[in-house]
Amino acid sequence: MNPAPQVHWDAVYREKDEAQTSWYRPHLVESLRLIDLRRLKPEAAVIDIGGGRATFVDDLLARGFRDVSVLDLSEVALAQARQRLDANARRVQWIVGDVTEVALPAAHYGLWHDRAAFHFLTEAQQRSRYVAAAERAVRPGGLALIATFAPEGPERCSNLPVCRYDAMMLEAMFAPAFELAETTRHVHVTPDGRPQPFVHVVLRRRSDA
């Protein structure tokens, strides 16, 4: 794994409180809404890609999910999340690493969740490896919920360049292994009041691809 991104994100999480980061939300309301609409069963395995110290894992545990993993480049972020969860941290599998390189169990996850990690992959090879990882790890019929900056969203985040997408672009990128089940748009308002348009897609893992 290239150490440079890990060093960057460790520094961000070490130096900034939650409300000082532009992506902070008390709860990932849109992701949770989409999951609740799908009536995902608590026995489904869930992995949060780039989860950092977000409270998504807290809300999954509160909903009764029993097989929950959080993957992030930053050990600092995951340590802070574990501290927040206290005893409940033992109920989570914490994975420090790059999603394009980490070996994940095959056809295991019923939900692959990514809020604002994929759009940091600015090289085509990185994106191809990411999609291949999702194809291997999500079980047939399972879901991938991907949220990225919309086309009119910011060009940079945390001083890094990002790629921006609409739903059709994401659908094409994850085809043919995944098919589009739903798409929504959501405007995230940063702690300092700046609107950031996001696109969310719910993709279903095909069993015939």
Side-chain angles (χ1 to χ4, degrees), residues 52-189:
R53 61 188 175 198
T55 59
F56 186 65
V57 61
D58 306 55
D59 290 320
L60 289 175
L61 295 177
R63 281 164 167 74
F65 286 92
R66 299 187 288 274
D67 186 345
V68 179
S69 300
V70 181
L71 183 152
D72 201 275
L73 280 169
S74 174
E75 167 61 34
V76 173
L78 297 186
Q80 292 173 359
R82 289 195 298 267
Q83 184 177 23
R84 182 187 67 238
L85 281 167
D86 197 15
N88 279 332
R90 294 193 295 270
R91 300 166 58 191
V92 179
Q93 182 179 4
W94 305 94
I95 307 170
V96 180
D98 183 334
V99 64
T100 68
E101 298 179 7
V102 169
L104 296 172
H108 178 68
Y109 299 103
L111 176 67
W112 174 287
H113 175 265
D114 176 347
R115 188 244 187 186
F118 183 72
H119 64 203
F120 283 104
L121 304 182
T122 57
E123 298 178 7
Q125 187 178 39
Q126 292 176 309
R127 295 191 291 270
S128 294
R129 291 201 304 266
Y130 180 106
V131 172
E135 289 178 6
R136 288 192 303 270
V138 178
R139 62 170 175 76
L143 302 174
L145 198 171
I146 312 290
T148 71
F149 284 145
E152 70 276 24
E155 296 182 355
R156 300 181 68 85
C157 180
S158 189
N159 295 319
L160 297 175
V162 298
C163 294
R164 298 171 295 175
Y165 299 94
D166 60 27
M168 292 182 63
M169 294 166 67
L170 290 169
E171 179 184 16
M173 195 160 293
F174 283 82
F178 291 87
E179 59 184 352
L180 183 65
E182 185 174 356
T183 179
T184 66
R185 288 176 59 89
H186 174 74
V187 177
H188 165 64
V189 179

Side-chain angles (χ1 to χ4, degrees), residues 183-205:
T183 179
T184 66
R185 288 176 59 89
H186 174 74
V187 177
H188 165 64
V189 179
T190 67
D192 61 0
R194 290 176 290 121
Q196 293 183 336
F198 273 78
V199 60
H200 292 67
V201 294
V202 179
L203 306 164
R204 182 178 293 108
R205 180 69 169 93

